[in-house]
Amino acid sequence: MNTFQVSIKETSNNSIIKFEINQFITQHQSFEFNNIDEAKSSPLAQQLFYLPFVKKVYISGNFIAVERFNIIAWKDVQDEVADQIQSYLNNGGVVVEETAAPKKVPVTVYAESTPNPSAMKFVANKKLVTTSYEFTSIDEAKLSPLATQLFHFPFVKGVFFDENFVSVTKYEVADWNEITMELREFIRSYIEQGKEIIAPEAPKALKKTSEQLDASFEELDDISKQIINILEEYVKPAVASDGGNIQFNSYNPESKEVKVILQGACSGCPSSTYTLKSGIENILKEMLQDKVNTVVAING
């Protein structure tokens, strides 16, 4: 059984707080409840409405947003609400009954070219995964029903998920002009039907849970931790915009060599290995002074 963890996220509206969960609680569907009567199909929302300050409950993907009346401030109650939601989920509480009608939000997916001529990025208007996943074969994709389906297309070589996009890498036999529309519509329809993208047991099996990631991070030396933090803040956002990801692999304190893994559209890209290697090298050398000499980029 996967343990649910709830974190508190502020929003631009100080009346609304998001309670973000480390895994999906709906199949990419959204539900909005304005009062306890409307929430009959959601035992969790009904429970929240018993709190006198709750005005509206919005459930979607991997978060619950709650709007409050002005009788209290969120800072006074948000921790208790987060604990209540976390306890409810970990005790097997039902979030939304299967018969509930989701709020109709049309699914849109658009295709975006990447620096890698073999990879295309398909961006959705919904959050698809809580962390990144890469699959390079149908055998690897057993924990992802969507990736498994994509590998049924004979031209699909690799699938990478991150936040709200899917990067698909193709074999040279196919031309993007001939397959992009087909892939885009397939992905859009799959998401719209609320089908499972990543199996619930995938984070634990692939060592992607918050606990596992935190434990791995804490085992590292201080320089490695600094490298990871720099990559997260300065490198990953730019790489994600190109449909890829960069993952720390190792740091050798004697040779001062850093190894990183290129994933998604970055993997196998003719220009990315050199560009990223030199770019990352410059950033790390500048920010860590004499602690880094070279960066080696490995294709995922």
Side-chain angles (χ1 to χ4, degrees):
M1 178 178 173
N2 294 315
T3 302
F4 290 93
Q5 289 187 325
V6 177
S7 56
I8 300 166
K9 305 290 182 182
E10 293 183 354
T11 71
S12 56
N13 184 338
N14 63 14
S15 294
I16 299 173
I17 283 282
K18 279 176 69 175
F19 298 95
E20 216 166 77
I21 295 121
N22 63 334
Q23 53 189 289
F24 285 92
I25 54 174
T26 74
Q27 287 299 320
H28 311 284
Q29 296 171 315
S30 301
F31 303 86
E32 188 176 301
F33 307 105
N34 294 292
N35 54 60
I36 197 166
D37 284 338
E38 286 187 9
K40 289 177 181 176
S41 59
S42 173
L44 174 54
Q46 280 201 317
Q47 186 176 106
L48 289 171
F49 275 116
Y50 280 113
L51 301 171
F53 53 83
V54 171
K55 181 179 180 181
K56 184 182 289 188
V57 177
Y58 183 82
I59 300 175
S60 180
N62 71 318
F63 72 85
I64 298 164
V66 179
E67 183 176 356
R68 63 171 172 81
F69 288 107
N70 290 325
I71 58 174
I72 50 90
W74 270 121
K75 62 182 176 62
D76 296 327
V77 296
Q78 62 188 29
D79 291 334
E80 289 82 355
V81 176
D83 289 343
Q84 181 176 331
I85 293 171
Q86 185 168 296
S87 176
Y88 181 90
L89 294 173
N90 284 317
N91 286 323
V94 175
V95 177
V96 179
E97 293 173 353
E98 292 183 9
T99 54
K103 183 181 179 184
K104 292 296 182 182
V105 178
V107 174
T108 60
V109 173
Y110 68 87
E112 188 178 285
S113 59
T114 75
N116 185 347
S118 296
M120 185 71 71
K121 180 181 177 183
F122 297 89
V123 185
N125 64 334
K126 288 179 175 285
K127 188 168 184 177
L128 306 179
V129 293
T130 58
T131 188
S132 61
Y133 295 91
E134 182 171 47
F135 305 101
T136 57
S137 71
I138 196 167
D139 284 337
E140 285 186 8
K142 290 175 182 176
L143 291 168
S144 171
L146 175 52
T148 298
Q149 289 297 312
L150 287 170
F151 276 114
H152 285 156
F153 290 96
F155 47 77
V156 171
K157 183 179 181 181
V159 178
F160 175 78
F161 296 106
D162 196 5
E163 290 286 331
N164 68 327
F165 71 83
V166 184
S167 284
V168 177
T169 306
K170 68 173 181 67
Y171 287 104
E172 291 182 7
V173 68
D175 188 285
W176 283 122
N177 292 327
E178 298 171 356
I179 63 175
T180 298
M181 288 295 290
E182 181 182 9
L183 279 174
R184 184 180 69 80
E185 179 54 29
F186 175 82
I187 293 168
R188 187 201 65 78
S189 176
Y190 189 99
I191 298 169
E192 190 172 63
Q193 292 175 54
K195 293 181 179 179
E196 194 171 70
I197 293 175
I198 298 289
E201 64 271 21
K204 187 172 183 179
L206 299 174
K207 298 183 179 179
K208 296 268 189 175
T209 67
S210 299
E211 299 98 322
Q212 290 168 324
L213 293 174
D214 289 346
S216 297
F217 182 80
E218 290 305 321
E219 289 175 358
L220 298 171
D221 60 89
D222 289 343
I223 302 300
S224 294
K225 289 177 181 178
Q226 290 180 55
I227 292 169
I228 290 174
N229 289 333
I230 291 170
L231 294 178
E232 289 285 341
E233 185 173 356
Y234 297 99
V235 180
K236 281 195 174 185
V239 173
S241 69
D242 286 335
N245 185 45
I246 183 162
Q247 186 174 301
F248 173 80
N249 178 262
S250 64
Y251 170 69
N252 187 321
E254 294 181 4
S255 62
K256 299 180 182 179
E257 179 187 83
V258 178
K259 287 185 180 180
V260 296
I261 300 172
L262 306 181
Q263 297 178 314
C266 296
S267 181
C269 179
S271 62
S272 69
T273 301
Y274 172 76
T275 304
L276 283 171
K277 179 182 181 297
S278 58
I280 295 167
E281 251 181 21
N282 291 338
I283 292 172
L284 293 178
K285 283 180 178 179
E286 181 180 341
M287 300 189 76
L288 294 176
Q289 299 299 318
D290 59 346
K291 296 182 176 68
V292 173
N293 281 337
T294 184
V295 174
V296 176
I298 306 165
N299 286 321

